[in-house]
């Protein structure tokens, strides 16, 4: 299997990004939200793999950075590629990028029901900082958001 490639998200990628977002999320971001993020200076990354000389986008991530802190705003892996380590590789790539940019703290938020993402985050050194009660819209009512942080200056580099 070919290695994953990461590259900066471009406006030309947004049709595919929104398609992936809609395949994965019960309450997806709109095209306008992605455009506003790019215009606001958020970093967008896409993860791709070559198949038969064609680039296939497997997922993406959107990150906000202010001074020496970054926040993962959105991460998504196409359903056909989930549970294959792609999400882990994306998050590891993002943390490596942040370390190279002298980012000292990294934050993210996850739905309380997303046990797979919680285990992944914790395995990479993230620790739960707080709970945002009833933060996310859910199919039935609302759901808590769990805020996680990782101190990159003390993170084990293994």
């Amino acid at each position: 299997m070919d290695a994953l490639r990461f590259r900066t998200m471009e406006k030309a990628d947004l049709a595919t990004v929104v398609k992936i977002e809609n395949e994965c999320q019960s309450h997806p971001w709109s095209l306008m939200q992605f455009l506003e993020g790019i215009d606001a200076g958020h970093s967008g990354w896409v993860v791709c793999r070559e198949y038969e000389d064609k680039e296939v986008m497997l997922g993406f991530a959107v990150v906000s950075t202010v001074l020496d802190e970054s926040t993962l705003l959105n991460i998504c892996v196409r359903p056909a590629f989930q549970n294959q380590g792609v999400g882990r590789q994306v998050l590891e790539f993002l943390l490596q990028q942040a370390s190279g940019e002298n980012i000292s703290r990294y934050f993210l938020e996850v739905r309380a029901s997303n046990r797979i993402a919680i285990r992944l985050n914790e395995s990479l050194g993230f620790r739960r900082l707080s709970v945002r009660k009833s933060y996310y819209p859910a199919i039935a009512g609302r759901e808590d958001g769990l805020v996680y942080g990782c101190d990159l200056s003390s993170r084990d580099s293994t």
Side-chain angles (χ1 to χ4, degrees), residues 88-102:
R88 173 176 291 279
Q89 289 181 63
V90 173
L91 194 49
E92 287 173 341
F93 169 82
L94 295 172
L95 293 173
Q96 185 177 45
Q97 288 292 118
S99 291
E101 296 172 7
N102 296 316

Side-chain angles (χ1 to χ4, degrees), residues 3-88:
L4 298 181
R5 277 191 320 109
F6 297 90
R7 63 173 175 78
T8 303
M9 183 186 294
E10 301 172 0
K11 287 186 179 181
D13 297 317
L14 291 181
T16 304
V17 165
V18 169
K19 181 179 186 296
I20 293 170
E21 175 80 353
N22 286 319
E23 291 173 355
C24 297
Q25 306 296 341
S26 61
H27 294 81
W29 283 15
S30 67
L31 173 61
M32 186 57 67
Q33 286 170 296
F34 283 104
L35 285 169
E36 288 170 352
I38 288 173
D39 290 343
H42 299 327
S43 300
W45 296 95
V46 296
V47 56
C48 303
R49 183 175 281 147
E50 294 291 325
Y51 285 104
E52 300 174 4
D53 297 327
K54 181 182 175 196
E55 180 183 81
V56 175
M57 189 184 304
L58 309 185
F60 64 86
V62 179
V63 178
S64 171
T65 299
V66 177
L67 300 174
D68 67 339
E69 296 182 345
S70 289
T71 301
L72 178 60
L73 302 175
N74 195 335
I75 184 171
C76 203
V77 174
R78 209 172 259 217
F81 299 98
Q82 291 177 4
N83 301 311
Q84 298 177 29
V86 175
R88 173 176 291 279

Side-chain angles (χ1 to χ4, degrees), residues 131-138 141-145:
V131 176
R132 291 186 174 159
K133 292 288 187 191
S134 301
Y135 184 72
Y136 287 108
R142 303 206 51 92
E143 180 175 2
D144 292 348

Side-chain angles (χ1 to χ4, degrees), residues 68-70 94-107 124-126 149-158:
D68 67 339
E69 296 182 345
S70 289
L94 295 172
L95 293 173
Q96 185 177 45
Q97 288 292 118
S99 291
E101 296 172 7
N102 296 316
I103 302 299
S104 63
R105 299 265 298 166
Y106 212 99
F107 299 95
L124 291 175
F126 284 86
C150 182
D151 182 351
L152 297 182
S153 62
S154 66
R155 184 171 174 264
D156 185 9
S157 61
T158 58

